[in-house]
Amino acid sequence: MSWPLRRDAVTSWIPRFAPMLGVAIVLMLTGCDTTMFGGHAPPPVVQKSTVKMPDEYIIGSGDQLSIFVYRNPDLSEAGVAVRPDGKISTPLIEDIVAAGKTPTQLAREIEQRLAKYIQDPNVTVIVRGFVGPADRQVRVIGEATDPIAIPYRDNMTLLDVMIATKGLTKYAAGNRAVIVRTGADGKRQTIKVRLSDLIKDGDIGQNIAMMPGDTLIIPQSWF
């Protein structure tokens, strides 16, 4: 076979393989795995979750605590109320500040105080009744059936607050209610909400997310 025939034979193969050759070159240049032609592509990279875990609970005035001292029942207390001044009293310890601390922090401080009287104290603090610090509460005032301060919890909404306060009184002007919110910069913001539309008509668009420290004000109807 003469050279022209061989050259024609080669050139006739180029159109058939050009697309595959072009894709292979692109894959090699971009660092992709060329085994996809005959094998399996590598599995996708799974990104680690960046969801922030909730912070530990902070004890506040009005909380009910149980203090357990291991192997010392005489020093344990099943029900200790955090006083309005933020302090508690336990056996052998006159006053100790509890408000503003986590249960673990308070337990370690009690251990330090008890170390003067017993060897290697082991203390556990359990929160039984939750109120929380003032800046972690949601307050409801005005024409709610049960105006109260509610401990804030993650993902709390306006509807959660209204369920906790047992709804509106018959004198409430629910659609003129406002939420007063203080931002991180100290600026105060007023948010208008239509509570009657939310509760009576099921307008879920009014079910906004609450924030720690919010105050919901429900005015009285004019007639």
Side-chain angles (χ1 to χ4, degrees), residues 114-166:
L114 291 178
K116 296 186 296 183
Y117 308 102
I118 61 177
Q119 185 177 4
D120 297 328
N122 189 338
V123 177
T124 301
V125 175
I126 302 172
V127 182
R128 299 293 187 184
F130 300 90
V131 175
D135 60 354
R136 295 285 299 177
Q137 296 176 7
V138 174
R139 299 176 180 85
V140 183
I141 60 176
E143 296 300 319
T145 302
D146 186 14
I148 55 174
I150 309 166
Y152 176 80
R153 65 175 185 272
D154 289 341
N155 302 317
M156 176 180 280
T157 66
L158 182 58
L159 186 57
D160 294 326
V161 173
M162 294 314 302
I163 292 172
T165 57
K166 302 180 177 63

Side-chain angles (χ1 to χ4, degrees), residues 69-85:
V69 184
Y70 183 61
R71 290 182 176 176
N72 287 271
D74 294 341
L75 301 179
S76 301
E77 290 287 343
V80 179
V82 182
R83 303 195 305 256
D85 62 0

Side-chain angles (χ1 to χ4, degrees), residues 55-123:
D55 296 333
E56 288 189 74
Y57 180 78
I58 303 298
I59 297 170
S61 298
D63 282 356
Q64 296 289 327
L65 310 178
S66 288
I67 300 175
F68 174 71
V69 184
Y70 183 61
R71 290 182 176 176
N72 287 271
D74 294 341
L75 301 179
S76 301
E77 290 287 343
V80 179
V82 182
R83 303 195 305 256
D85 62 0
K87 297 180 180 180
I88 61 171
S89 297
T90 62
L92 298 181
I93 300 175
E94 293 181 356
D95 289 331
I96 183 171
V97 176
K101 300 173 183 176
T102 67
T104 301
Q105 290 172 336
L106 179 58
R108 298 294 83 79
E109 188 167 342
I110 293 175
E111 287 175 351
Q112 292 176 4
R113 300 280 190 95
L114 291 178
K116 296 186 296 183
Y117 308 102
I118 61 177
Q119 185 177 4
D120 297 328
N122 189 338
V123 177

